[in-house]
Amino acid sequence: MAELTTDTELLALFREPATKEKAFTVIVKKYQERLYWHIRRMLVDHDDSNDVLQNVFIRVWNALGGFREDAQLYTWLYRIATNECLTFIEQQKKKAAVSLNEMESGLSNKIRADKDFNSNKLEWKLQLAIQQLPEKQRVVFMLRYYDEMPYEEMSRVLETSAGALKASYHHAAKKIEDFILNH
Amino acid sequence: MENSNEILTELQEIAPILSMDGVSRIPYTIPSGYFEDFSAILMSRIHLETAGIPDPVIAGMLNRNEPTELSPLEEISGISPLLAGIQKKNPYQVPAGYFEALKTKIPSSAVSSSIDASENIPSKRVALDSRLSASDSIHIQQGSIASQVKPVFFLSRAMKYAVAACLVGLLGITIYNMNNRYVTDPISGLTTVSEQDMANFLDAGDFHWTPVTTSETASVDFSDNDIHALFSNVSDAELEQYHPVLPAEKGSVN
């Protein structure tokens, strides 16, 4: 059922009470990894990412019945996941009463605290560099760089014009390159 | 998804370092089996969060419009069929004869010492009105257990505390008095006063005193010449007038 069924078919099965749960499980299995890594790159910590991922799918469970198929399912899922991440970060900031800069340095510290962290490896430097970006740029960079999302799709996820996203990605990539070269 | 080559070309134009091999590898790790178990964990959470909210399908089957309260078994079956299937066997053990001994322990603490053990009192029904129904009421066979009841001496315990408190009080007063006696002794009190404080006190009281700072005892050391010089201007008559009692020692000092 997982790989052979399209999103449209899965949505139809979800609307049938008899197959609702099964269809949902297939949707979860199909998108869980992509969404997890999208969230993990934003939040760094696995436990936080796990919590947010569960919240994302609970939202999906509650709202999928009313999902209009004028957008792709994965775009809609990314949108929910991104919003949940940003909400989570916002809540963390409020809870800890810290500024955005302190929050970013907190995420950098989490990266450095990883048992596999190696400051000489480029992939770790890249993660540190990503955390230096403003939130919106960070999301744009990750959706384009890691998820290879077209700007048109990204504009639906982030409700921003493709041109603005292109510029944002350009700035983000330059900042990251500068960080890697200077650290 | 957009062609990866297009994205790579775009990246090479903006920031070539980011298009290098291995840079895009995500270095984070996840617990093993995380994705295999995720959907099952998620579904159980969804069941949990929707528990108590009647499913429209089930409501239709029951042909009821109003939500009805689920029985504990129905509720747990909806949340976790696994738990519903498990026998409710108590895994805990109690010491041998615990409940038999409990029957005697409860009345012994409830019955007052005023009960006459020899008196043959009929059984008494004690109902815990709001918690237990009449059928759950407890029968206490007082006559049969009275011989096992030990009188509780509440006063003896209180007396122990009272005696202990009195002893502590007496001891405290004795220590206080002993300390107080030494403190009120003026001589011992003066040992703690510095010489400078004494000098200040004497100055304030119009006394003239200079503290000896070089030695503990003051001494007067006059030579014969000093005495001679001191008394050279004093006549013998004046000396005799001052000290007339010592005729044998009369003599001129000049």
Side-chain angles (χ1 to χ4, degrees):
Chain A
M1 195 175 178
E3 294 303 317
L4 298 171
T5 317
T6 63
D7 284 352
T8 311
E9 288 167 327
L10 284 171
L11 287 169
L13 289 169
F14 182 82
R15 289 188 186 106
E16 293 295 323
T19 51
K20 180 178 181 177
E21 211 168 285
K22 204 168 185 181
F24 184 73
T25 306
V26 174
I27 290 168
V28 170
K29 285 188 173 169
K30 190 174 178 180
Y31 290 105
Q32 61 182 5
E33 285 199 42
R34 269 197 268 179
L35 292 179
Y36 171 83
W37 287 115
H38 175 58
I39 295 164
R40 179 77 188 268
R41 286 190 292 262
M42 289 279 287
L43 304 180
V44 178
D45 183 69
H46 167 74
D47 291 331
D48 291 343
S49 307
N50 180 40
D51 287 347
V52 170
L53 184 65
Q54 286 191 26
N55 291 342
V56 167
F57 277 116
I58 285 167
R59 278 187 185 279
V60 171
W61 169 267
N62 292 327
L64 195 60
F67 174 67
R68 290 172 300 158
E69 293 176 58
D70 49 3
Q72 286 194 49
L73 180 61
Y74 96 94
T75 310
W76 186 68
L77 294 174
Y78 266 92
R79 190 169 164 179
I80 294 173
T82 305
N83 286 338
E84 279 292 316
C85 278
L86 297 177
T87 305
F88 180 84
I89 291 170
E90 202 61 39
Q91 284 172 346
Q92 293 294 104
K93 273 191 284 184
K94 279 182 188 167
K95 206 183 283 181
V98 295
S99 67
L100 183 61
N101 286 342
E102 285 170 320
M103 185 75 189
E104 281 158 6
S105 66
L107 290 169
S108 299
N109 289 339
K110 278 184 183 176
I111 293 171
R112 290 191 182 92
D114 193 293
K115 62 181 172 56
D116 297 321
F117 178 73
N118 184 344
S119 61
N120 295 321
K121 287 196 172 175
L122 216 49
E123 59 263 34
W124 281 108
K125 274 190 182 179
L126 176 58
Q127 297 309 314
L128 287 174
I130 288 170
Q131 297 307 327
Q132 313 303 314
L133 296 173
E135 278 168 27
K136 191 76 179 281
Q137 274 186 18
R138 203 186 310 166
V139 177
V140 172
F141 179 81
M142 289 192 296
L143 287 176
R144 183 74 176 162
Y145 185 75
Y146 288 110
D147 297 306
E148 299 184 347
M149 192 179 276
Y151 287 115
E152 291 75 29
E153 292 292 337
M154 215 191 295
S155 70
R156 290 190 196 105
V157 172
L158 301 173
E159 294 182 309
T160 310
S161 72
L165 292 171
K166 230 176 225 182
S168 192
Y169 180 67
H170 185 93
H171 286 304
K174 291 304 283 179
K175 278 185 195 174
I176 286 172
E177 189 180 49
D178 286 348
F179 181 91
I180 290 173
L181 293 172
N182 294 315
H183 285 82
Chain B
M1 288 290 171
E2 203 169 315
N3 190 335
S4 293
N5 286 335
E6 285 178 28
I7 293 172
L8 192 66
T9 310
E10 179 194 39
L11 200 61
Q12 279 169 341
E13 287 171 8
I14 304 168
I17 197 167
L18 295 180
S19 62
M20 286 167 65
D21 281 345
V23 179
S24 62
R25 194 182 75 81
I26 300 160
Y28 303 132
T29 54
I30 51 166
S32 62
Y34 172 69
F35 291 119
E36 283 76 33
D37 300 335
F38 181 78
S39 61
I41 293 166
L42 180 73
M43 286 316 298
S44 65
R45 189 177 158 188
I46 287 171
H47 287 143
L48 201 68
E49 293 201 0
T50 55
I53 300 167
D55 190 294
V57 179
I58 296 168
M61 285 163 66
L62 294 171
N63 201 20
R64 287 177 187 170
N65 293 326
E66 291 175 10
T68 53
E69 193 176 311
L70 298 171
S71 73
L73 183 63
E74 286 170 337
E75 187 183 31
I76 195 69
S77 301
I79 298 165
S80 169
L82 178 75
L83 281 177
I86 295 172
Q87 284 185 337
K88 291 180 182 176
K89 193 180 173 185
N90 191 354
Y92 304 116
Q93 302 289 326
V94 292
Y98 170 74
F99 291 109
E100 286 72 28
L102 194 67
K103 279 181 188 172
T104 58
K105 277 180 188 171
I106 293 171
S108 69
S109 60
V111 176
S112 74
S113 59
S114 62
I115 293 172
D116 183 1
S118 62
E119 203 176 347
N120 187 16
I121 302 166
S123 65
K124 188 179 177 183
R125 178 171 289 202
V126 180
L128 307 175
D129 47 15
S130 61
R131 293 190 180 190
L132 299 173
S133 64
S135 60
D136 296 325
S137 60
I138 301 166
H139 293 268
I140 304 172
Q141 299 293 334
Q142 291 177 341
S144 61
I145 54 98
S147 58
Q148 298 171 24
V149 175
K150 291 179 181 176
V152 182
F153 296 104
F154 294 105
L155 277 176
S156 63
R157 180 176 285 184
M159 280 298 287
K160 281 180 190 171
Y161 286 119
V163 169
C166 287
L167 285 173
V168 169
L170 280 171
L171 192 67
I173 290 165
T174 309
I175 292 167
Y176 174 79
N177 284 338
M178 285 173 75
N179 288 338
N180 214 25
R181 191 182 63 178
Y182 290 118
V183 168
T184 51
D185 183 1
I187 303 303
S188 63
L190 278 175
T191 56
T192 58
V193 180
S194 71
E195 289 183 340
Q196 189 57 50
D197 288 341
M198 282 186 184
N200 292 340
F201 173 75
L202 291 171
D203 285 344
D206 230 9
F207 293 103
H208 300 287
W209 180 77
T210 305
V212 179
T213 54
T214 52
S215 65
E216 288 184 0
T217 56
S219 63
V220 181
D221 191 12
F222 291 113
S223 66
D224 289 343
N225 291 337
D226 291 335
I227 294 168
H228 189 268
L230 274 170
F231 291 96
S232 59
N233 296 327
V234 182
S235 65
D236 289 346
E238 283 174 324
L239 281 173
E240 280 172 16
Q241 191 179 359
Y242 176 73
H243 199 188
V245 194
L246 300 171
E249 290 175 31
K250 265 186 187 177
S252 176
V253 292
N254 290 327

